[in-house]
Amino acid sequence: MKKRNLYKDIVMLAAGVLCLWLSLRGVDFWLRQQRDYEISIRLEAGLTEEVVKEIGKIEGVRAFAPFLSCNIRLRLQEYTLETQVLGIDLDSYPLKWKQAQEEITLGNTVVLFVGREAFSSLADDHGNSPGKSEIAQWMEQYQELELTLTDDKGRERKANIGGIVEEPSTGLYMSGEQMQELYPAFARKNGGCVKIRGEKNMQKAKEILSGAGFLLE
């Protein structure tokens, strides 16, 4: 009976494993080039129509959803937060919802959409943040909460919460149309979310945008 060549068997097995590994790497690479990636960008000088057109020319860019921003001071019960609210198109801006009201009426009362982790950024006059149980109760009863927003000129407006955002988890949002109507003197178009097809295109876009002075978030 002929003896098996153990060394040859090991080499063949190793070659097979290597081929399988390379095939899986190739498939993984291909899949990453088919995925859509999202980059949040901001330009302090503000976005013009020309700048938006240039963003659209970057290879792989499939969509650009701009936002407005407005500085406010938010108060909820004894807690406050100095932050920015982003004014977005609620139908097109890529938010992943945790929960939201089915019908939302936009009027003179601001309707906010709050990232699920944003509540933890609030603090009282002593610097204490709300507890986990308090935050959990707020999220469960968000439709009943009454907030106050104060703009840079000290003018106050009442606000309600229209929904909780899962991702991005730390932001505060409102309808861009409502922001333009209620805060025309403060709303600035200075950022947005870029959707890009392919990991290589995404990395290249980051380099281009960063080199052009954009802040990547």
Side-chain angles (χ1 to χ4, degrees):
M1 183 176 175
K2 189 177 180 179
K3 295 179 65 176
R4 292 178 61 86
N5 188 329
L6 183 59
Y7 175 76
K8 183 178 179 180
D9 289 345
I10 293 174
V11 171
M12 292 294 292
L13 177 61
V17 171
L18 179 60
C19 287
L20 177 60
W21 180 76
L22 290 174
S23 296
L24 292 175
R25 283 284 299 259
V27 170
D28 180 63
F29 176 81
W30 182 84
L31 289 174
R32 292 200 304 271
Q33 307 321 309
Q34 309 311 308
R35 281 185 54 191
D36 285 338
Y37 296 83
E38 293 171 353
I39 306 173
S40 181
I41 63 173
R42 191 184 296 266
L43 187 65
E44 290 305 316
L47 298 182
T48 63
E49 291 303 318
E50 287 300 317
V51 171
V52 173
K53 287 180 182 179
E54 291 301 314
I55 293 173
K57 295 177 182 178
I58 298 174
E59 186 173 358
V61 171
R62 292 170 56 82
F64 177 62
F67 60 65
L68 305 169
S69 68
C70 181
N71 296 323
I72 57 94
R73 184 171 186 265
L74 181 151
R75 173 173 287 277
L76 173 58
Q77 298 176 8
E78 71 269 30
Y79 300 98
T80 59
L81 173 64
E82 302 276 352
T83 188
Q84 278 194 341
V85 177
L86 301 186
I88 62 173
D89 184 332
L90 296 173
D91 294 324
S92 64
Y93 199 85
L95 298 179
K96 181 179 178 181
W97 297 97
K98 183 176 179 65
Q99 48 192 336
Q101 296 180 26
E102 292 185 5
E103 294 186 10
I104 297 170
T105 302
L106 301 177
N108 291 326
T109 298
V110 177
V111 180
L112 288 179
F113 304 92
V114 181
R116 60 181 175 80
E117 296 181 6
F119 289 117
S120 61
S121 299
L122 291 159
D124 63 18
D125 292 340
H126 303 288
N128 300 314
S129 299
K132 291 184 178 179
S133 60
E134 192 169 17
I135 292 175
Q137 184 177 14
W138 287 344
M139 292 180 66
E140 183 178 347
Q141 302 174 352
Y142 72 92
Q143 298 184 46
E144 302 173 14
L145 299 178
E146 294 184 356
L147 304 89
T148 302
L149 301 184
T150 305
D151 63 31
D152 285 343
K153 288 190 176 181
R155 293 177 296 195
E156 294 185 351
R157 287 187 181 276
K158 297 298 181 183
N160 296 324
I161 297 178
I164 304 296
V165 178
E166 182 72 23
E167 292 178 7
S169 61
T170 58
L172 270 70
Y173 308 89
M174 63 184 290
S175 161
E177 183 178 349
Q178 188 181 48
M179 179 177 283
Q180 287 180 312
E181 181 179 344
L182 301 183
Y183 296 103
F186 305 105
R188 298 177 60 237
K189 185 178 180 180
N190 63 347
C193 183
V194 187
K195 180 181 288 188
I196 302 172
R197 171 63 58 87
E199 185 182 52
K200 289 181 65 177
N201 289 335
M202 181 266 293
Q203 296 294 347
K204 184 63 177 178
K206 282 185 174 182
E207 295 177 9
I208 294 172
L209 292 166
S210 179
F214 284 88
L215 298 176
L216 310 183
E217 301 175 349

